[in-house]
Every structure is written in C-alpha cells, then in structure tokens.
Amino acid sequence: MNLTPQERLNARILIVDDQPANVSLLEEMLQGAGYSRVSSTMEPEQVCAMHRNAPFDLILLDLQMPGMDGFQVMEGLKASTAEDDYLPVLVITAQPGHKLRALQAGAKDFVSKPFDLVEVKARIHNLIEVRLLYRQLSRHNHFLEQLVQERTAELRESEARYRALTELATDWYWEQDGEGRFTKVSGPVLEMLGLQVDALNAENSGDLIDSGWNPVEREALRARIAARSPFLDMVLSRVMPGGVVRQYRVSGTPMFDASCTLIGYRGFGVEILGSTK
C-alpha cells in the first residue's frame, strides 16, 4: 500500500488551541506546506463532536487550555472512538513533564513550545502517513471480511446443492459432526455399521446387530470412519433372509473448516450387485 503526495496533502487536519497567535502560525505553516484541508477551533468542547461528524486525519491539540484541557479532550475522543481505530492526536505542550502523561492518555506524538517548524512539519508528515496507511489497511481488511463472508455463503449454497444431488443420486447417505455424532442418515447406514437404527446417538448406539453384514468389511468401514480417513468405493456385502446377497460400494470423506479443524464427516453409497448365495 502506497500513498501519493496528494493523498497526504488532502488529509483533514484540525488545530485546537486557545491562543490565536498559535492557531495562525500553525495554519500558515500547514498551508505553506501544501495542506489544503486545515480547520481550527479555540473551543475544545467542540472537538469530539467535530471528530464524530467528520473524522480528522490529524488533530494538533494544545494541552493547556482554560475550561477543558487537552487531556480531557483526549478522554472524550477515546470514549467516542472504536478500540481498533487509530486516534490521530499530536499534542502541543510547553511542559516537558506532560509528555509521558500525554502519550499514556492516547496521544501519538508531541511537539514542544516554542515551535521548531521543521520538526513540527516532519512529525505531522509522519503521523498523517501512519493514519492514512492505517485507514487503507482497515478498508482492505473490511474488503477481505466481506469477501470471506460472500465466499462462505457460496460454499454453503454449493454444499446444500451437493447434498441434495448426492441424496438423489445415491442409495444412502450420512453425516456426522466433529464429535462423531450422526446428524443425518438415510438408508441402511447404521445397520451397516452395526448400530441401533432407532437410537441415532443414544448410549446404546454402539450395540452390534447381527443383520447379515460381512463383519470384516463392516469393521474396516467403522475403522475408517473412526480414524476420519477418506475412502472411496469400499465394498460391503450383506446376506439377506432367503440367501440374497446385496453389495454396496461406499465412499466417505472428512470435512474441515477454513482453519483446518475437523467439523464432520460424510459418506454415501450405491447398491452394485444382487445375487442368490
């Protein structure tokens, strides 16, 4: 991210000082340096409202003013500024002992009276650059957040279409959450795994059922799911009453979120063969 000279010179600057001579000096200096959007006030009580209505990129703030001093102004600014925002205050003080307190109160830098105009211009240039770069970064992050939200919505929509098409195109389908609990089941999934069909996630859901499934094949499938391993076209056989053998080709895959955390597991299958044993 780069700033052009014109972007810096278009920065909104507010001078807050109760001394007209100081205000005039700073205005002349800033205008002479090419800054085109310079405002001033000798009434510190107005600063917070002015900043809320149209945030400034830099506030030159005198600390010693009657009625409401610079420290009180900064407290008001902090109260009306988001925690993650950048408070652009450059304090002006004739008291060296106030510098640390000003920085602790939220000021980003300070200049001492009487002014060294070369130093003042350098500090103003640096703070404006930081402020504008911070604003650029904030906008970029906001754009990325919106992009992620849009992409997430697209993925959810795609996921819903995938699930609907899968259920239509397969004989059975199941989903588990990140803890291994079944959240959706269609077809003979739980029987295939040796689980009670009428107790999806109950305590006895691990009870084996002797329902004609090949125990070796079934245990291999259970082990794959327990290990959260993907599998493709595993064959499971089941001997039905009367000697009919049914075979299924099954596939499954773990699901992860954007941070690579397991959020679930899903699988599906189709019947591929029917014969008499």
Side-chain angles (χ1 to χ4, degrees):
M1 293 181 287
N2 296 314
L3 295 173
T4 66
Q6 194 59 46
E7 286 177 307
R8 295 188 184 91
L9 296 177
N10 284 338
R12 299 188 70 252
I13 302 174
L14 176 66
I15 301 168
V16 186
D17 200 308
D18 65 315
Q19 299 295 320
N22 291 337
V23 173
S24 297
L25 178 62
L26 290 170
E27 284 180 337
E28 291 176 7
M29 179 203 68
L30 291 168
Q31 291 167 359
Y35 292 100
S36 59
R37 304 173 70 190
V38 179
S39 304
S40 63
T41 181
M42 290 186 287
E43 300 180 25
E45 296 84 0
Q46 296 183 356
V47 173
C48 292
M50 293 172 68
H51 186 59
R52 280 196 302 269
N53 292 336
F56 292 95
D57 298 307
L58 182 63
I59 299 175
L60 301 176
L61 178 64
D62 185 26
L63 286 181
Q64 294 180 296
M65 294 179 289
M68 185 177 190
D69 63 23
F71 293 106
Q72 292 172 306
V73 172
M74 282 190 286
E75 285 301 316
L77 288 170
K78 286 172 62 177
S80 60
T81 302
E83 288 187 10
D84 59 348
D85 200 3
Y86 183 88
L87 188 61
V89 175
L90 174 63
V91 298
I92 302 168
T93 179
Q95 301 293 329
H98 287 167
K99 293 178 181 179
L100 178 59
R101 182 184 169 193
L103 294 174
Q104 291 173 335
K108 294 298 183 284
D109 204 350
F110 56 84
V111 292
S112 301
K113 296 180 180 178
F115 299 131
D116 179 332
L117 294 183
V118 174
E119 177 188 1
V120 174
K121 285 194 288 187
R123 292 182 183 274
I124 288 172
H125 177 278
N126 291 342
L127 282 181
I128 286 177
E129 185 171 72
V130 171
R131 165 63 173 175
L132 296 182
L133 287 172
Y134 185 94
R135 189 168 62 189
Q136 278 190 5
L137 180 61
S138 179
R139 289 174 177 170
H140 182 66
N141 287 341
H142 181 66
F143 169 76
L144 291 179
E145 288 176 3
Q146 287 185 317
L147 198 63
V148 168
Q149 290 175 358
E150 291 172 2
R151 182 58 178 154
T152 300
E154 291 174 359
L155 288 174
R156 286 175 177 168
E157 183 179 352
S158 176
E159 177 73 15
R161 288 197 302 267
Y162 168 84
R163 183 181 294 116
L165 290 173
T166 298
E167 292 184 22
L168 288 173
T170 60
D171 294 320
W172 54 270
Y173 179 84
W174 93 90
E175 286 186 8
Q176 291 177 313
D177 62 18
E179 301 298 324
R181 294 184 292 264
F182 285 94
T183 58
K184 187 173 182 63
V185 170
S186 67
V189 179
L190 299 183
E191 289 181 284
M192 185 179 295
L193 296 174
L195 307 179
Q196 291 287 356
V197 179
D198 59 351
L200 201 58
N201 290 306
E203 292 182 359
N204 65 343
S205 62
D207 296 340
L208 294 179
I209 304 172
D210 184 11
S211 54
W213 293 100
N214 183 298
V216 176
E217 295 172 344
R218 185 169 64 180
E219 187 56 37
L221 174 62
R222 288 164 60 93
R224 286 292 190 95
I225 295 174
R228 296 298 187 257
S229 299
F231 54 92
L232 179 66
D233 291 340
M234 290 184 66
V235 175
L236 280 87
S237 305
R238 184 183 188 186
V239 180
M240 305 299 293
V244 174
V245 177
R246 289 183 176 175
Q247 289 187 314
Y248 292 86
R249 195 178 300 278
V250 299
S251 301
T253 183
M255 297 180 291
F256 301 91
D257 62 15
S259 62
C260 297
T261 300
L262 180 73
I263 59 173
Y265 203 90
R266 66 185 174 201
F268 55 88
V270 295
E271 186 173 356
I272 59 173
L273 178 65
S275 64
T276 303
K277 187 174 180 180

